[in-house]
Amino acid sequence: MNKAEFIELIAGKLGSSKADAGRALDAVTEGIAEVLAKGDDVKLTGFGIFEVREVAARQGRNLHTGATIEIPAGKAPKFKPSSTLKQAVGGQTADAE
């Protein structure tokens, strides 16, 4: 499902216009990005946790040349789904958040 299809789904669930649903989706994604940029977590009960984790420096490989390269340490966004979301998707039992 692409963004336009997702916006259409949201609009249908809200009974609103696609434009309003698009603005709502953009506000949510921009808000999550702003909070993560500050280094904070976003916890959505029943859905999951968006967080920033430290990533250690490591070696990688240039796929074009095969040369080894150093990938510096940094920060990366991560998502940890809630047990409710895991069960909804696959009927799996999951650890508590």
Side-chain angles (χ1 to χ4, degrees), residues 7-47:
I7 288 171
E8 193 171 329
L9 175 73
I10 293 169
K13 289 192 173 284
L14 292 175
S16 67
S17 70
K18 289 182 191 177
D20 287 342
R23 284 191 293 274
L25 178 60
D26 288 343
V28 168
T29 56
E30 289 169 12
I32 290 170
E34 287 175 18
V35 171
L36 293 177
K38 292 179 189 175
D40 293 332
D41 298 344
V42 177
K43 297 174 184 168
L44 302 174
T45 303
F47 188 72

Side-chain angles (χ1 to χ4, degrees), residues 60-84:
R61 196 158 297 276
N62 181 321
L63 297 177
H64 295 289
T65 65
T68 300
I69 58 172
E70 284 294 320
I71 301 171
K75 296 180 180 181
K78 299 288 181 179
F79 176 72
K80 180 181 175 187
S82 71
S83 59
T84 305

